[in-house]
Amino acid sequence: MASPVPGTSNVKLFQEAHSFLQNISAEIEVLKQEVLQDHELRKLEVAEARRKLEQEKFERREQISRLRNEFEEFVNRKADRVLEEVEEMKASDKKDDTSQQKQIEYIVHDMEMLRGDLFSIQAAWGKLAANCLVLPPE
């Protein structure tokens, strides 16, 4: 079938193709805008996630620092307490040593007195034996 007006079917054919391309181009533009909007949303989400991550890192560092300080204080208190107890034990041992030394000196003094008294008793027994012992004449 030939068209009554020469070249009108070619124009119609190109108008349909041109219209199709315009529609495709419009759809591509809409998709492009959607992709750009989605990309911007993702960028905002990524930025927010990074901000949250940095905030959490800061909080963790702060918690670790606080925990380390508390632990150091705890260790220092325990070490100080141990040192105090060691000093107390040394003082107690020294006090005990002094007390024991005094007891030993008291015992030594008592033994010296006992020794002196035993010498006196021996001398008295020797005199008594000499006085009571009658030797037969020879």
Side-chain angles (χ1 to χ4, degrees):
M1 286 182 138
S3 100
V5 178
T8 56
S9 86
N10 288 340
V11 171
K12 185 178 179 185
L13 179 66
F14 285 116
Q15 282 179 345
E16 287 178 16
H18 187 63
S19 168
F20 177 75
L21 288 174
Q22 282 180 337
N23 287 341
I24 294 293
S25 179
E27 284 182 32
I28 288 174
E29 195 59 37
V30 168
L31 287 174
K32 196 176 183 182
Q33 290 300 320
E34 286 177 5
V35 167
L36 287 174
Q37 286 176 348
D38 188 50
H39 180 68
E40 289 299 318
L41 285 174
R42 297 292 176 241
K43 280 174 45 177
L44 291 173
E45 288 175 359
V46 167
E48 180 65 19
R50 284 187 177 146
R51 187 193 62 76
K52 285 182 180 180
L53 180 63
E54 287 300 317
Q55 180 67 26
E56 287 180 8
K57 280 183 184 179
F58 176 76
E59 290 173 0
R60 296 297 176 256
R61 285 183 191 138
E62 195 173 286
Q63 287 175 345
I64 289 171
S65 176
R66 192 170 46 245
L67 182 62
R68 182 179 56 232
N69 289 339
E70 287 175 7
F71 182 72
E72 286 175 359
E73 288 176 13
F74 174 77
V75 168
N76 287 335
R77 281 195 314 266
K78 290 295 183 180
D80 289 344
R81 185 186 295 157
V82 167
L83 290 174
E84 287 173 4
E85 288 179 6
V86 166
E87 290 299 320
E88 287 175 6
M89 285 176 46
K90 284 181 181 178
S92 176
D93 286 348
K94 191 172 186 178
K95 185 178 178 182
D96 287 347
D97 289 348
T98 304
S99 174
Q100 288 176 352
Q101 186 61 36
K102 285 183 180 179
Q103 288 176 348
I104 290 170
E105 289 172 2
Y106 181 74
I107 291 171
V108 167
H109 176 70
D110 283 351
M111 288 182 68
E112 288 174 354
M113 287 179 54
L114 178 62
R115 188 172 135 233
D117 290 343
L118 287 174
F119 279 132
S120 297
I121 291 171
Q122 179 188 13
W125 273 105
K127 284 182 185 177
L128 178 65
N131 288 337
C132 292
L133 185 64
V134 178
L135 289 176
E138 288 180 34

